[in-house]
């Protein structure tokens, strides 16, 4: 691995660019490749093998062939593999962070943070692999005895997005392998390099042939449809946008395929008059600007109570104005580029629409005049009902503030969305916090914190934000079937 990142010289030599099927790297069957670009310059970083539908089915062949042996492999050996992969990822933190920043754009410090977060799933599920249990029960009538046991679901197809190219992969691979499932993984075509390097580290960790296969492709639909239709596949796990997740659910319905869906968000961030102002502002900066705003967990709609709104907006704006915009590889960068030109157009369109409908532009609100796809960190105040920004996932560095009067109004505004992934709330009142935990329509709540993700907790959403959970023992259940065996009274 010779990835180097400096002021002048950036390269990604040493990262595999092939398909990984049945334990070896290979070119695509058609010989085609697609380019991966640095969003901060537009420069081509690498050309990656472009898997065809035939390659996808060869990967499923490999996963299906390995399934029985992997399921029968001692839990301790499955655990050891994940632990070795964790150690290797940890040792290569700087390499992985460099690849990630180059292909995705976020500042290096944040990429290192993702390596730490993503690696934790390998460690957590290496620890869980040896604790998969069942139980023994008596029928209520006392006439029989039953054993409830857990079995791996079977071969898994995993599709991941571009915004967290390491963590979204480890969040699926680790529980699947721990449970005894084999995997075919399709990374996002905008950011496949991080995932390819992760798979190479698994190979070095002693991965048995066929247990984990990776098929990058520029045509996700053509690759995926035959895999999803194939009856050997037993599980589809997807992280990405709600429209694509919904289309995949329709495909999966034909074979009643078990699915997990981690989809889009439209997180409310509520600040009440009794909040600790400094804490709320610092956490709001994290919740909004982490990953350049390109996170499913990004705070999308700020609702601030009238008594604290002026002070909160002023303090937040001061921090936003101090952000340094630059390439993710440059020291001191707070805000890197967005992933591509479409993302910039989307952010600009949402800001223009909000201003046209009466919002006040406090700072930002413009494209950044430099090479690459940058949009200035922006704060909008008094965003009006009916503005597109309140119903659309922004996926960019834009704060949208709406003011509210009462707790009841704040809750109503927060719940007024089809999504329900995460919510943030800032209040020092414990009873109010408890009310919010019970009434906000969300899978996760950050109460006085701006970051909720942790391998030990069940990540996931309600409403159109998805089905199922990742992380913790709930995340392992997604890859297990429950079976019971009943015998008559002895
Ligand atoms: P996307 O839905 O466009 O793509 C996600 C993945 O699906 C990519 O690998 C893509 O190639 C693939 N894909 C696209 N169309 C497909 C099809 N027809 N068949 C099979 N695969 C297909 O999403 P994105 O732009 O990569 O990621 C951003 C979205 O992901 C946002 O909506 C964000 O909220 C969501 N996301 C959710 C979570 C979560 O945990 N809930 C985490 C990260 C991102």
């Amino acid at each position: 691995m010779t990835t180097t990142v400096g002021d002048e010289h950036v390269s990604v030599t040493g990262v595999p660019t092939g398909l990984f099927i049945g334990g070896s790297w290979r070119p695509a069957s058609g010989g085609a490749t697609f380019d991966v670009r640095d969003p901060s310059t537009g420069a081509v970083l690498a050309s990656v093998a472009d898997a065809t539908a035939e390659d996808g089915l060869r990967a499923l062949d490999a996963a299906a062939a390995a399934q029985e042996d992997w399921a029968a492999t001692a839990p301790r050996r499955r655990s050891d593999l994940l632990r070795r992969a964790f150690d290797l990822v940890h040792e290569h933190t700087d390499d992985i962070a460099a690849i990630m920043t180059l292909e995705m754009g976020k500042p290096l410090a944040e990429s290192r943070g993702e390596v730490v977060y993503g690696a934790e799933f390998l460690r957590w599920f290496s620890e869980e692999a040896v604790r998969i249990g069942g139980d023994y029960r008596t029928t209520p009538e006392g006439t029989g005895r039953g054993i409830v046991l857990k079995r791996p679901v079977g071969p898994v197809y995993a599709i991941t997005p571009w915004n967290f190219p390491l963590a979204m992969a480890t969040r699926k691979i680790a529980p699947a392998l721990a449970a005894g499932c084999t995997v075919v993984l399709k990374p996002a075509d905008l950011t496949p390099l991080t995932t390819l390097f992760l798979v190479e580290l698994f190979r070095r960790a002693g991965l048995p042939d066929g247990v984990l296969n990776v098929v990058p492709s520029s045509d996700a639909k053509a690759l995926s449809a035959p895999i999803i239709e194939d009856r050997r596949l037993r599980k589809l796990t997807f992280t990405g946008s709600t429209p694509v997740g919904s289309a995949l659910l329709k495909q999966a319905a034909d074979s009643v395929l078990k699915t997990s869906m981690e989809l889009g968000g439209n997180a409310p961030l509520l600040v009440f008059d009794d909040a600790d102002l400094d804490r709320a502002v610092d956490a709001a900066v994290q919740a909004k600007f982490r990953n350049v705003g390109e996170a499913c967990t990004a705070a999308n709609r700020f609702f601030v109570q009238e008594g604290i709104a002026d002070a909160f907006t002023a303090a937040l704006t001061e921090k936003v104005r101090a952000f340094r915009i630059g390439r993710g590889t440059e020291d001191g960068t707070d805000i890197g580029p967005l992933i591509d030109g479409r993302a910039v157009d989307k952010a600009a369109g949402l800001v223009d629409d909000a201003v046209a409908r009466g919002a006040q532009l406090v700072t930002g609100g413009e494209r950044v005049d430099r090479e690459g796809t940058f949009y200035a960190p922006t704060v909008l105040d008094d965003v009006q009902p009916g503005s597109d920004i309140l119903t659309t996932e922004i996926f960019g560095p834009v704060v949208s503030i709406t003011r509210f009067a009462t707790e009841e109004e704040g809750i109503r505004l927060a719940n007024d969305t089809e999504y329900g992934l995460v919510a943030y709330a800032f209040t020092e009142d414990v009873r109010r916090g408890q009310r919010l935990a019970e009434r906000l329509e969300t899978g996760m709540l950050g109460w006085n914190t701006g970051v909720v993700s942790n391998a030990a907790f069940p990540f996931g959403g309600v409403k159109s934000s998805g089905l199922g959970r990742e992380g913790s023992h709930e995340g392992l259940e997604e890859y297990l079937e429950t079976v019971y065996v009943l015998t008559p009274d002895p």
Side-chain angles (χ1 to χ4, degrees), residues 39 43 68 100 127 138 142 150 228 341 378:
E68 201 174 323
M100 199 185 297
E127 291 160 351
T138 306
K150 300 286 177 178
I228 296 169
T378 297

Side-chain angles (χ1 to χ4, degrees), residues 6 24 77 105 117 166-167 193 201 211 236 238 279 285 307 316 408 431 471 476:
S24 58
R77 285 190 52 210
Y117 168 61
L166 184 84
L193 299 173
L201 295 181
V211 169
L236 169 65
F238 172 76
R279 187 204 283 263
V285 165
L316 181 70
E408 198 58 34
R431 294 201 347 211
L476 192 60

Side-chain angles (χ1 to χ4, degrees), residues 404-425:
F404 69 91
T406 64
E407 180 182 312
E408 198 58 34
E409 186 189 2
I411 292 174
R412 185 181 54 73
L413 288 167
N415 287 342
D416 185 18
T417 170
E418 68 180 282
Y419 296 102
L421 186 61
V422 61
Y424 304 94

